[in-house]
Amino acid sequence: MKYIQLCEVYENLQNNSSRLKKTEILAEFLEKLKEEKNKQVVYLLQGKVFPDNSEKEFGISEQLCIKALAKSSGISKEKLVDDWKKMGDLGEVAQKTIDKKKQNTLFTKTLTTQKVIDNLKRLPELEGRGTVDKKLALISELLTSAKGLEAKYIIRTLLNNLRIGVASGTLRDAIVQAAFKPKTIKEKKELMEIVQDSYDKATDLALVLEKAYKGIPALKNTKLIPGKAIKAMLAQKAVSVEDGLNKVGRPAIFEYKYDGFRMMINKSESGEIKIFTRHLDDVTLQFPDVVEYIKDHIKLKSFIIDSEAIGYDPKTKKYTPFEAISQRIKRKHNIHELIKKLPIEVNVFDLIYYNGKSLLDEPFEKRTKILREMIKPQKYKIRLAHQLITSDRKKAEKFYKEALKDNQEGVMIKNLGARYQPGLRVGHMLKLKPAENELDLVITGAEYGKGKRVGNFASFILSCFNEKTNQFVEIGKSSGLKEKSETGPTFEQLTKLLKPYVLKEKGRIAQIKPKIVVTILYQNIQRSPTYKSGYGLRFPRIIAIRPDRKPKSIANLKEIDHDYKRHELKIHY
Ligand code: AMP
């Protein structure tokens, strides 16, 4: 298939905001794939070249795209950066640049979707010396053959930002439409469930599309395969124990919400153990200790369990916050040394696959019961999530307090009868944790936005005051302001306020004189080598501009230090 055909579909999708219309456009396109042997083009519709269960990423920066564009168009990098600043979208810069160049050249090759897939697929595999040059060559090759519109979408795909507004649900609806053309709403609903179920097990839309064209039995025959990553079920929020009970129903299962990172642990039918993160990254190599725990404590042929790994201090045996063990996820060398320094305990809370059988559709009550029978727990290695089944608000509140006292984040509140729904933020599993903290800080830097935020600042560097050196020192970066002013400031308001204080600009980054004080909410404070203050705020959000406050009266380093220690204490005692 010609790549330009797909780019026209992208454009069409971008220009139509209604979900119904998008489904129609997609379905029409998917029908063209019916006879194509290779259904991977569907990945391109998701802005990828790999299925969702693959962890592979392009790893391409905006700088590299600019280099590739400069190489294939002959336009200087400076000019491209300048255009980018004005237009806010490198894809559009690419389109304009290539279109201009093509007016002067006659000969171009026709780009096919297969060629795009082939080149992009090679990107994550490149390693070692000369990687950047090889990546550059692969991208430039595509851009050289591309028309303007094609260049726009090559760049957007590389930067993981297609901006065509297609959610995975819409793609699934389109598969139903393309393969079955349902006549009634009931029929459509049933088919959507079948397609969804097939996707939940396969986590691969090309495979689902292939099965859909074969028919309903093929879809229903999709197998959950331990050893292949599936998406984790995600939680919605509860504001109190009462709220949680009302939402999930009584009795509910309360569990500790452990402050660590998610581990989906698989044992395949061949006996191989694999560990995936919540983002479906394979981290088995980083956790040989966990592989050993699994071998020692679960004597089953095959399974998929869902769990949270938490760190503890090897000397004091006290549990540590997530930040302390985060480096274990990435570290691929000297692992055994790190295991001794940063040991972890796995807290298991769900069972998805058990001895050759998917448990996705079984009620949570049953899954947790089997789970509790199949593991031989041992403190500091592998344990079952601490649990309470109750309808009694008071008992649940006591349990919640105990969770906090035991250094954990809060509790999860789960419906007894619910299925395991991969990849969705479900209303039958809720998280409850204490309210966030508040601080006054000053803005000392900002970054210009892209897309509809072009011209406005879109993220803000926050600083506190170091009373010893009399300087403002960075402590975090906040984005996520409102587009419109309902609650709190907007991007536009803040940009207007900050502009007169811009000291220097480099690329998209502006350095700003410390004048504008804001109140922020944050989740917690961690030690951080990135910021000059030595601390980093987790999830800071600007909630108010404070013209009534002077920069020097904002939070100082001593107070931050105090807050950090208090948080640590809260976690340890
Ligand atoms: P959040 O990351 O705040 O959205 O909260 C949901 C996360 O809590 C899950 O993705 C898990 O990583 C984590 N978690 C910790 N303990 C549990 C538990 N007992 N059940 C489910 N999730 C848990």
Side-chain angles (χ1 to χ4, degrees):
M1 176 182 283
K2 287 183 191 157
Y3 186 57
I4 192 74
Q5 272 178 284
L6 175 64
C7 293
E8 276 154 11
V9 173
Y10 286 146
E11 281 289 282
N12 219 345
L13 290 164
Q14 184 185 269
N15 297 334
N16 283 287
S17 56
S18 111
R19 178 164 172 173
L20 219 66
K21 185 72 192 157
K22 282 185 196 283
T23 311
E24 212 178 280
I25 299 167
L26 285 166
E28 197 185 315
F29 178 73
L30 291 179
E31 277 183 53
K32 292 192 190 117
L33 298 184
K34 190 170 180 176
E35 302 309 325
E36 292 237 350
K37 217 171 112 219
N38 192 342
K39 306 274 192 284
Q40 289 182 6
V41 178
V42 78
Y43 301 147
L44 286 175
L45 281 174
Q46 301 177 283
K48 310 168 164 205
V49 289
F50 300 104
D52 289 337
N53 61 16
S54 164
E55 61 179 318
K56 287 185 188 154
E57 280 174 6
F58 300 134
I60 300 295
S61 67
E62 280 145 339
Q63 291 315 322
L64 198 69
C65 286
I66 292 173
K67 251 188 175 172
L69 253 179
K71 193 173 163 195
S72 43
S73 68
I75 308 278
S76 77
K77 278 193 277 182
E78 291 69 27
K79 167 85 176 90
L80 292 168
V81 170
D82 216 40
D83 281 353
W84 179 29
K85 241 169 108 182
K86 280 189 213 127
M87 299 169 85
D89 171 17
L90 257 188
E92 277 171 22
V93 175
Q95 180 172 20
K96 187 182 121 188
T97 311
I98 299 288
D99 268 342
K100 238 190 197 157
K101 178 198 128 189
K102 289 283 148 83
Q103 287 171 1
N104 306 325
T105 49
L106 287 172
F107 172 73
T108 45
K109 267 199 257 166
T110 308
L111 211 49
T112 62
T113 49
Q114 195 55 53
K115 176 69 189 162
V116 175
I117 291 174
D118 288 347
N119 277 29
L120 297 191
K121 264 192 168 173
R122 285 166 63 193
L123 292 172
E125 265 132 46
L126 297 171
E127 265 178 21
R129 272 183 71 195
T131 300
V132 174
D133 286 340
K134 284 183 206 149
K135 286 186 174 178
L136 200 60
L138 285 169
I139 302 169
S140 307
E141 188 193 5
L142 293 179
L143 291 176
T144 311
S145 322
K147 299 187 176 70
L149 190 64
E150 292 174 316
K152 169 173 166 180
Y153 285 103
I154 289 167
I155 295 293
R156 283 189 176 180
T157 303
L158 284 167
L159 296 174
N160 295 319
N161 193 6
L162 262 190
R163 297 166 64 176
I164 54 170
V166 172
S168 46
T170 318
L171 256 169
R172 266 162 269 165
D173 290 358
I175 291 180
V176 168
Q177 185 58 32
F180 302 104
K181 304 208 171 36
K183 297 208 174 51
T184 62
I185 293 180
K186 189 168 162 261
E187 196 190 346
K188 187 169 156 190
K189 229 179 120 203
E190 278 169 12
L191 283 161
M192 262 150 59
E193 271 171 28
I194 295 170
V195 166
Q196 177 68 44
D197 196 58
S198 168
Y199 175 78
D200 287 346
K201 290 178 178 146
T203 322
D204 179 343
L205 271 183
L207 196 75
V208 174
L209 182 67
E210 207 177 298
K211 283 177 181 287
Y213 280 132
K214 285 188 183 144
I216 294 175
L219 279 172
K220 284 194 169 165
N221 196 23
T222 313
K223 296 266 184 295
L224 184 62
I225 301 173
K228 282 198 164 178
I230 62 162
K231 293 189 176 176
M233 177 162 76
L234 303 172
Q236 290 181 11
K237 268 188 196 158
V239 292
S240 64
V241 164
E242 178 75 18
D243 177 45
L245 278 168
N246 290 342
K247 281 182 180 149
V248 308
R250 288 160 225 252
I253 297 189
F254 288 78
E255 284 178 356
Y256 273 21
K257 181 180 191 312
Y258 297 95
D259 183 16
F261 60 91
R262 195 141 186 184
M263 273 189 173
M264 309 268 282
I265 308 173
N266 290 238
K267 185 175 175 190
S268 69
E269 303 298 348
S270 66
E272 190 187 4
I273 291 166
K274 271 197 176 171
I275 306 168
F276 298 105
T277 67
R278 162 185 179 151
H279 303 292
L280 312 193
D281 290 337
D282 183 342
V283 289
T284 317
L285 280 180
Q286 288 91 305
F287 294 97
D289 44 346
V290 174
V291 172
E292 281 310 305
Y293 303 163
I294 297 294
K295 282 186 185 155
D296 292 347
H297 295 265
I298 312 179
K299 304 286 179 199
L300 277 184
K301 194 170 164 292
S302 58
F303 56 81
I304 305 176
I305 54 178
D306 202 351
S307 67
E308 186 89 351
I310 51 173
Y312 60 89
D313 186 308
K315 289 199 194 89
T316 63
K317 299 275 193 216
K318 280 175 189 154
Y319 291 109
T320 52
F322 162 70
E323 299 82 61
I325 49 164
S326 59
Q327 38 170 316
R328 284 220 39 197
I329 303 175
K330 294 230 166 79
R331 178 78 79 88
K332 291 194 176 146
H333 52 91
N334 293 344
I335 294 173
H336 290 281
E337 208 173 277
L338 205 63
I339 291 176
K340 281 199 203 115
K341 231 170 77 192
L342 304 172
I344 57 167
E345 175 188 278
V346 179
N347 286 271
V348 184
F349 56 75
D350 215 328
L351 176 65
I352 300 158
Y353 187 92
Y354 175 78
N355 268 353
K357 211 174 144 254
S358 158
L359 299 189
L360 283 174
D361 292 322
E362 300 295 341
F364 180 55
E365 194 178 14
K366 183 172 172 190
R367 301 198 306 273
T368 189
K369 189 164 174 283
I370 304 175
L371 187 64
R372 270 148 216 276
E373 285 160 4
M374 68 183 236
I375 295 179
K376 210 169 80 206
Q378 188 181 356
K379 202 169 178 188
Y380 301 122
K381 289 193 168 164
I382 184 166
R383 296 173 91 182
L384 293 153
H386 193 37
Q387 214 179 51
L388 171 75
I389 306 183
T390 188
S391 306
D392 184 332
R393 180 176 57 90
K394 287 220 170 96
K395 280 190 189 150
E397 270 163 3
K398 192 165 157 255
F399 184 77
Y400 176 39
K401 280 201 189 113
E402 278 164 15
L404 297 177
K405 225 171 88 197
D406 279 351
N407 322 325
Q408 300 308 331
E409 265 192 302
V411 286
M412 305 295 293
I413 311 172
K414 304 180 180 182
N415 176 308
L416 266 69
R419 77 184 290 264
Y420 191 99
Q421 177 55 58
L424 282 191
R425 215 163 262 295
V426 293
H428 55 70
M429 173 167 96
L430 307 175
K431 54 186 172 187
L432 174 63
K433 45 190 180 181
E436 297 162 300
N437 309 318
E438 216 177 278
L439 276 183
D440 281 345
L441 296 171
V442 71
I443 296 176
T444 52
E447 189 173 349
Y448 282 100
K450 303 175 195 171
K452 57 183 171 185
R453 305 224 173 98
V454 68
N456 279 330
F457 290 132
S459 61
F460 306 89
I461 304 283
L462 304 162
S463 291
C464 65
F465 187 59
N466 183 346
E467 66 289 355
K468 282 193 191 135
T469 60
N470 215 15
Q471 277 174 332
F472 292 97
V473 282
E474 294 178 356
I475 188 165
K477 190 170 165 185
S478 166
S479 45
L481 282 178
K482 294 261 175 328
E483 220 69 62
K484 292 198 194 97
S485 170
E486 296 140 10
T487 52
T490 64
F491 289 106
E492 227 179 317
Q493 274 172 342
L494 214 45
T495 305
K496 221 167 164 187
L497 272 178
L498 291 169
K499 275 276 170 80
Y501 301 116
V502 170
L503 296 171
K504 248 198 314 202
E505 283 190 8
K506 195 170 171 227
R508 309 159 64 85
I509 314 277
Q511 195 187 330
I512 292 170
K513 202 166 168 185
K515 282 283 180 195
I516 304 298
V517 176
V518 287
T519 299
I520 61 125
L521 280 181
Y522 68 94
Q523 211 175 60
N524 61 42
I525 301 173
Q526 47 192 260
R527 288 218 183 266
S528 161
T530 322
Y531 296 114
K532 231 180 167 174
S533 62
Y535 293 105
L537 297 174
R538 220 173 154 197
F539 307 125
R541 270 187 301 131
I542 298 172
I543 53 162
I545 301 168
R546 305 303 304 245
D548 54 324
R549 308 227 162 131
K550 294 250 168 342
K552 287 201 176 166
S553 67
I554 61 165
N556 62 41
L557 210 48
K558 203 165 142 203
E559 285 161 349
I560 303 275
D561 193 52
H562 177 79
D563 282 0
Y564 172 77
K565 291 204 172 108
R566 193 190 55 193
H567 174 72
E568 285 288 274
L569 281 175
K570 194 194 91 196
I571 284 190
H572 289 304
Y573 296 103

